[in-house]
Amino acid sequence: MNTIYKHRRISFWLFSAFIFLSFGFSPINDNNFFFKINKGIDTFGKVYQEIANNYVEKIDPERLMHASIDGMLDELDPYTQFFDESETDEVELITTGKYGGVGITIGIRDGYVTVMSLMEGYSAQRQGIIPGDKIIEIDGKNIVGVKAEEVRRLTRGDPFTEVKVKVDRDGEKEPLDFSLMREEIQLKSVTYSDFIEPGLAYLRLERFTRTTGEDVRFALQELKMRGEITSLILDIRDNPGGLLDAAVEVAETFLPKNTLIVSTKGREGTNLPQRDYRTSRDPLIRNIPLVVLANRNSASASEIVAGAIQDDDRGIILGTRTYGKGLVQTILNLPYNAQLKITSAKYYTPSGRCIQEIEYNEKHGGVFSAAPESLRKEFTTIHNRKVKDLGGITPDTLVEPLEVSSLYKALMQKSFLFKYANAFVSANKEMPLELPSDNAMLSDFKRFVADKQFTFEDESETKLKEISDLATKSKMSSTLITKLDEVKDQLTKEKDSSYERSKHDIVRTLKMEIMSRYRGEKGRIEFSLKDDEQVLAAVGILKSKEVYSRLLSPQIQEAKANEGKKKE
């Protein structure tokens, strides 16, 4: 891992948060600038002191200070944050992927703090907590109605300490009591790796922490022990990023030694000059076809990896455009164990492009706006393919996920798919040898939601209702009102068949949820890969040497560009 030593402090570059550096002002030779800083400090200190001492109501000085800091940071980007002493464990969690806890992921469902998933091998799973359990007490404290953040604070703590949890569970008449032991939880970077077909490997990477580079190499070496890897799918969809060093280590798994991966550059005149990050060793996976899956939630360190692979023409980026976070954060140690995470630099891919989408120093109408398409500049890859800056990484092959129905969205919003999986597992303590057929599961699910008196209104009904109300208020002809009523009846008939039209999405999600109950997150992912549109597209490309080669040639991009111009 790259380190910078200054005043005996070890500094780590990272993304989505996280470099440790010594605290101090930047050496900017501007007397007026320093005068403004000193003037601001003096003025702020005096205002703070006067309010704390003389305000008509008694105030909490710490709360006032935190509000002042938050107000100041609101003028900057959302990644610049202040952490007081009680929040520093959040920084440790994201940088190291470790925390003291019991191994559960929670969310709010129907007003209850609900167990969403379990981490394999930790106390909650070993003691018998299951997804869907509603947490009602922690150490004797009633937490019904309490925010999820407060529950996380109560369940986390030093390893080898005990926490007592009481839960309500579907199918159980009385609440269940559990005594859980907090442990050091290590979040996994690689959540799944296996062969989809002989020779075709798949690896899902969900975060970038200090161990991510090692985790990726270990997973690939383990696969290589089971068989030859002839092609690979690297899945970084929904990966929010993490440490820059980890991104460099992942990229150098695929790129030749001494290849430029990323450059960082701070504001001119600061103590953060441009720095280039290159691969320091030979790649573990070389010369085989590679497809990287990315989407709109792939950010930061994920975009560094995707950008390096794209600019070097090492592989194909498939999916949708990425998030567009090209900013570097530094964490500064402050007095009283507080910390400041501050955006201190931008990063640039090997071709020289910054993929940051939003300029946070500019506001239009009080809000930040994304860079318009007209301002995006062209750069070139090693093979002279054209790529653009700003607005994230544009994939070499665009594969949009299929749009889901309004019925499916409503079912998800009200957690009915999650609840059905809980009910299914409650009725089937052991996993059946074979899950019900799609038709049988959909029929059973429809009965389940009917019993819960589920109703929904799709967009067409909402729009028609607005038109009908407007027609009535405007006293339009009875003929028109009758026609609108006929359309409403037709929509009702169409709505009755919406379950059948949404069968694929509903049943697929139900089976994924059920598999996660029996086989954990690995079971969920394994099942999801069978009909994942983007995975299937990647498999098709990797199976065709001709298609793979053509996608990495500049002629293909020229043809696409010309086709786009004709459409315009």
Side-chain angles (χ1 to χ4, degrees):
M1 183 173 288
N2 296 305
T3 56
I4 303 171
Y5 291 92
K6 184 176 182 181
H7 304 304
R8 294 186 177 181
R9 295 186 181 183
I10 302 176
S11 305
F12 296 97
W13 284 94
L14 28 91
F15 285 79
S16 306
F18 330 111
I19 310 178
F20 289 90
L21 290 173
S22 58
F23 182 66
F25 288 116
S26 303
I28 301 175
N29 296 318
D30 187 340
N31 291 332
N32 187 50
F33 180 79
F34 281 118
F35 171 75
K36 289 180 179 178
I37 291 177
N38 291 328
K39 178 182 176 182
I41 291 173
D42 289 343
T43 303
F44 175 80
K46 184 62 175 176
V47 170
Y48 174 69
Q49 185 178 30
E50 289 296 335
I51 292 174
N53 290 332
N54 300 318
Y55 186 67
V56 64
E57 301 288 349
K58 186 177 180 180
I59 58 102
D60 181 342
E62 282 194 2
R63 185 176 177 183
L64 181 62
M65 175 58 74
H66 289 176
S68 303
I69 292 172
D70 290 342
M72 179 167 53
L73 299 188
D74 281 345
E75 288 296 307
L76 308 175
D77 61 84
Y79 312 111
T80 298
Q81 295 175 287
F82 172 78
F83 299 93
D84 66 18
E85 186 174 11
S86 67
E87 299 172 308
T88 53
D89 61 325
E90 292 298 320
V91 178
E92 185 70 10
L93 167 61
I94 301 174
T95 56
T96 67
K98 296 179 181 178
Y99 68 96
V102 296
I104 59 174
T105 301
I106 59 174
I108 303 297
R109 293 293 182 271
D110 295 335
Y112 287 91
V113 175
T114 305
V115 177
M116 305 303 295
S117 63
L118 299 160
M119 299 173 196
E120 293 183 30
Y122 293 108
S123 179
Q125 186 199 45
R126 293 198 310 269
Q127 297 297 100
I129 297 284
I130 64 173
D133 282 350
K134 301 179 184 71
I135 303 176
I136 57 176
E137 282 187 16
I138 296 177
D139 286 335
K141 178 181 179 180
N142 187 314
I143 56 108
V144 176
V146 172
K147 293 182 178 180
E149 291 76 12
E150 174 65 10
V151 176
R152 292 188 185 97
R153 188 186 68 79
L154 292 172
T155 55
R156 291 179 183 178
D158 294 332
F160 308 113
T161 57
E162 188 179 53
V163 57
K164 295 184 182 298
V165 175
K166 180 174 288 188
V167 305
D168 270 341
R169 177 177 297 173
D170 291 345
E172 298 289 343
K173 294 180 180 180
E174 299 292 333
L176 304 176
D177 292 301
F178 295 90
S179 293
L180 307 178
M181 184 66 68
R182 295 186 181 95
E183 304 168 74
E184 183 178 85
I185 306 294
Q186 175 67 64
L187 296 178
K188 292 182 179 180
S189 298
V190 177
T191 53
Y192 186 85
S193 60
D194 206 345
F195 285 101
I196 293 179
E197 297 180 5
L200 199 165
Y202 170 92
L203 186 147
R204 177 170 292 190
L205 185 60
E206 294 204 359
R207 58 185 57 87
F208 289 82
T209 67
R210 290 177 186 167
T211 64
T212 298
E214 182 182 340
D215 294 343
V216 169
R217 296 180 73 86
F218 178 81
L220 291 172
Q221 287 170 338
E222 194 175 51
L223 288 176
K224 291 175 78 171
M225 292 176 64
R226 292 167 48 193
E228 182 184 6
I229 300 177
T230 56
S231 58
L232 174 67
I233 298 173
L234 175 64
D235 192 345
I236 56 172
R237 291 175 296 181
D238 301 317
N239 185 322
L243 301 178
L244 170 58
D245 284 340
V248 171
E249 290 178 6
V250 170
E252 71 179 3
T253 305
F254 309 103
L255 298 172
K257 188 175 181 180
N258 203 36
T259 298
L260 178 64
I261 296 172
V262 67
S263 301
T264 60
K265 188 176 182 180
R267 191 180 78 210
E268 187 176 349
T270 67
N271 58 0
L272 292 172
Q274 180 171 333
R275 180 179 177 185
D276 294 339
Y277 293 80
R278 296 180 176 274
T279 55
S280 59
R281 53 186 171 186
D282 292 326
L284 177 65
I285 300 295
R286 65 178 78 196
N287 302 328
I288 67 168
L290 170 67
V291 172
V292 179
L293 302 183
N295 64 10
R296 197 60 175 156
N297 295 322
S298 303
S300 185
S302 297
E303 295 174 292
I304 290 175
V305 172
I309 288 173
Q310 186 178 59
D311 285 1
D312 196 64
D313 289 308
R314 173 62 187 85
I316 292 166
I317 313 302
L318 183 150
T320 58
R321 196 172 71 174
T322 61
Y323 185 79
K325 181 180 182 294
L327 304 176
V328 183
Q329 280 71 49
T330 302
I331 288 189
L332 305 173
N333 293 321
L334 302 177
Y336 305 104
N337 296 320
Q339 293 176 306
L340 176 66
K341 176 163 68 73
I342 180 173
T343 297
S344 54
K346 292 182 178 181
Y347 76 76
Y348 300 81
T349 70
S351 64
R353 53 189 168 136
C354 177
I355 53 88
Q356 176 64 24
E357 179 166 25
I358 298 174
E359 285 295 333
Y360 289 105
N361 63 334
E362 296 181 11
K363 280 188 178 182
H364 301 281
V367 297
F368 298 113
S369 59
E373 184 68 26
S374 59
L375 292 182
R376 299 183 72 192
K377 298 177 183 177
E378 284 190 348
F379 294 78
T380 56
T381 68
I382 295 294
H383 290 169
N384 210 35
R385 292 190 300 137
K386 292 179 181 178
V387 290
K388 289 186 176 183
D389 66 356
L390 309 179
I393 302 292
T394 300
D396 304 308
T397 298
L398 180 65
V399 180
E400 295 273 9
L402 297 178
E403 183 66 26
V404 296
S405 67
S406 55
L407 168 64
Y408 179 84
K409 291 177 182 177
L411 290 168
M412 288 292 289
Q413 287 169 356
K414 296 185 178 180
S415 304
F416 276 104
L417 301 163
F418 180 85
K419 294 172 184 175
Y420 178 85
N422 295 338
F424 183 94
V425 173
S426 179
N428 300 272
K429 301 299 183 184
E430 299 294 329
M431 180 176 173
L433 294 176
E434 188 174 331
L435 292 178
S437 67
D438 289 1
N439 288 334
M441 182 166 284
L442 183 63
S443 296
D444 192 49
F445 178 70
K446 287 172 67 176
R447 287 191 292 269
F448 176 81
V449 297
D451 290 342
K452 303 290 184 181
Q453 297 181 329
F454 166 72
T455 59
F456 84 103
E457 187 177 87
D458 64 22
E459 189 176 358
S460 59
E461 284 182 294
T462 303
K463 295 295 183 184
L464 182 60
K465 185 177 179 181
E466 291 174 0
I467 295 171
S468 296
D469 290 344
L470 182 60
T472 301
K473 288 178 182 178
S474 302
K475 298 181 180 180
M476 293 184 178
S477 68
S478 59
T479 303
L480 177 59
I481 301 296
T482 301
K483 289 289 185 185
L484 288 174
D485 288 339
E486 290 174 0
V487 173
K488 182 180 179 181
D489 292 339
Q490 187 61 39
L491 279 177
T492 300
K493 293 177 182 178
E494 288 292 324
K495 186 178 174 181
D496 290 340
S497 63
S498 57
Y499 277 96
E500 191 61 35
R501 294 196 304 273
S502 304
K503 180 171 73 172
H504 172 77
D505 290 328
I506 292 173
V507 172
R508 179 176 186 267
T509 304
L510 287 175
K511 290 185 176 181
M512 285 170 55
E513 288 287 347
I514 290 169
M515 291 300 294
S516 73
R517 303 299 191 273
Y518 291 117
R519 294 182 178 174
E521 190 62 17
K522 183 176 181 180
R524 178 200 294 271
I525 296 172
E526 191 172 58
F527 182 85
S528 72
L529 296 179
K530 295 178 181 178
D531 58 357
D532 185 314
E533 297 91 353
Q534 293 170 334
V535 170
L536 294 177
V539 170
I541 290 171
L542 290 171
K543 283 186 172 182
S544 173
K545 291 182 179 179
E546 181 183 356
V547 173
Y548 184 84
S549 298
R550 281 196 290 111
L551 285 171
L552 288 176
S553 68
Q555 290 80 8
I556 296 299
Q557 284 207 342
E558 288 292 341
K560 286 183 178 179
N562 292 333
E563 184 180 338
K565 289 177 182 178
K566 288 179 182 178
K567 290 180 179 179
E568 292 174 5

